[in-house]
Amino acid sequence: MSPFTSALALSGGSARGLTHLGVIQEIERKMKFDLIVGTSMGAVIGGLYAFHGNSTKVIGSFKELFENKIFLKAANSVVDEKAVFVGPDGFFNRFIWLFRQGIFYTRTMLQMDLVGAEPLEELLGMLVPDVLIEELPVRFAAVAMDLHTGEEVVLTRGPLRRAIAASIAIPGIFPPVRVGPRTLVDGGWADNVPVAPAIALGAHFVLAVDATLEIASMTPEPGSAMEILFRCSEITRILLTRHRKSFADVLIVPEIGDMSWGAFSSIDQCMEAGRAAFRENLPAIVRQMRIRRLRTCNGAIHPGRNSEWRSHPLVFEGTP
């Protein structure tokens, strides 16, 4: 068996991350990957695909979830259907809207999250199987961030459901997750396109999919001090993501226009964007994978690249 290892790195992005479903539809028709590393929504989709190995089952699971009353209730507590959020940075706009209504200030001063632990656990129980990461048919890792140290934590063993819960724990929306002595939150605040963890886990070739927004797509200039604060925070995350994803051998960025972070009903549109992006990039993927095979002597040299990707520390953990 060839030692050459290929990896798929899936970004966060909430509903925008549903484009990953279209990407994996195309992947399973043409090739397979040895390792999947995901952040936030990328961890959910990547973990489910590592378990099922079938995109149809994964897509079916999501569609069932989105029709579930518990999901709809949880989503409505964060996304107001009457509010209009212009541009793809709906997450940023949502906080501004909540702040203006006095909701964000009141609720976040009194509690740790907008969606409690019980509804989240129930939703994950419907979607994510109760299995161990190390028992998955395909190697998988989920990325989270340590709330106290700021370290990027890569979860490679233990319960899959708990690892995903940590990776999707959006600060202020979902509760932090305790993993041993660590308190973990959404990995998107440390590494939204987890290429470096994939390389550290042995990948010689990394295909990354980025479903997040860019600065140019953000809404017009903010009109208040709070809007400036949130916007600057989001810009910092975007700039960090640019650096993180630059280590990928091939980067796919699906075109989904001004879709907001909470547009879960747009799953079909997202999947089509993912399929189209993969087909467009397929020649580059095949070419770069061939080049990486040559440069690594078919996997005999690891990682067969410069050490720049090691510029930030990684912590590898399991979930108890």
Side-chain angles (χ1 to χ4, degrees):
M1 184 176 67
S2 169
F4 185 82
T5 300
S6 59
L8 181 63
L10 302 177
S11 77
S14 296
R16 295 171 64 86
L18 296 173
T19 56
H20 299 327
L21 295 171
V23 172
I24 64 174
Q25 276 185 314
E26 292 296 318
I27 284 175
E28 69 181 4
R29 295 188 184 115
K30 299 175 175 68
M31 60 183 64
K32 69 175 184 178
F33 283 78
D34 307 298
L35 167 67
I36 302 174
V37 183
T39 295
S40 201
M41 179 59 86
V44 181
I45 293 173
L48 287 180
Y49 189 65
F51 174 76
H52 291 294
N54 183 299
S55 63
T56 301
K57 289 183 178 180
V58 177
I59 293 166
S61 297
F62 271 98
K63 288 189 173 182
E64 287 181 15
L65 177 71
F66 295 160
E67 295 173 357
N68 187 279
K69 291 181 180 179
I70 298 174
F71 173 82
L72 294 173
K73 181 179 179 180
N76 287 338
S77 70
V78 181
V79 180
D80 190 292
E81 296 296 334
K82 296 178 182 179
V84 178
F85 306 117
V86 181
D89 53 332
F91 181 73
F92 163 77
N93 286 343
R94 176 57 183 166
F95 275 108
I96 295 301
W97 183 85
L98 286 169
F99 182 80
R100 284 174 173 166
Q101 302 302 314
I103 299 171
F104 178 77
Y105 180 82
T106 301
R107 294 180 66 175
T108 54
M109 290 301 104
L110 298 176
Q111 60 193 56
M112 293 283 287
D113 47 71
L114 295 177
V115 178
E118 289 187 12
L120 178 60
E121 289 174 3
E122 192 166 355
L123 289 169
L124 286 177
M126 298 175 194
L127 185 66
V128 182
D130 186 15
V131 297
L132 298 177
I133 295 174
E134 56 267 36
E135 295 176 353
L136 294 172
V138 178
R139 288 178 65 202
F140 171 74
V143 173
M145 185 183 77
D146 188 309
L147 185 61
H148 299 300
T149 67
E151 292 174 304
E152 179 178 349
V153 179
V154 185
L155 301 167
T156 59
R157 62 187 187 277
L160 175 64
R161 195 177 292 169
R162 192 160 186 79
I164 289 176
S167 189
I168 67 170
I170 302 173
I173 300 293
F174 297 131
V177 175
R178 292 286 296 181
V179 173
R182 296 184 180 275
T183 301
L184 302 181
V185 294
D186 191 307
W189 266 255
D191 193 350
N192 207 32
V193 186
V195 178
I199 298 172
L201 288 169
H204 301 90
F205 171 84
V206 181
L207 169 64
V209 186
D210 181 14
T212 57
L213 63 101
E214 263 295 342
I215 295 173
S217 301
M218 295 181 74
T219 50
E221 189 170 333
S224 71
M226 183 57 64
E227 290 179 12
I228 292 172
L229 174 62
F230 279 122
R231 186 183 182 96
C232 289
S233 176
E234 194 64 16
I235 287 173
T236 300
R237 290 185 62 217
I238 293 170
L239 294 176
L240 176 62
T241 297
R242 282 185 189 174
H243 175 67
R244 295 288 197 256
K245 67 186 181 184
S246 66
F247 306 127
D249 295 296
V250 178
L251 176 67
I252 293 178
V253 183
E255 294 291 336
I256 46 179
D258 61 356
M259 184 177 297
S260 76
W261 78 287
F264 295 102
S265 61
S266 301
I267 182 170
D268 291 325
Q269 180 184 343
C270 287
M271 288 193 297
E272 177 52 39
R275 289 191 294 267
F278 182 87
R279 290 193 295 265
E280 181 181 345
N281 285 275
L282 182 57
I285 294 169
V286 173
R287 181 175 63 253
Q288 287 300 116
M289 188 175 287
R290 190 175 297 135
I291 291 171
R292 293 296 299 158
R293 281 187 180 276
L294 290 172
R295 292 188 61 187
T296 63
C297 298
N298 202 32
I301 303 172
H302 174 72
R305 64 180 78 227
N306 64 45
S307 61
E308 188 179 349
W309 64 273
R310 297 180 183 273
S311 60
H312 67 287
L314 299 170
V315 178
F316 294 87
E317 296 278 7
T319 54

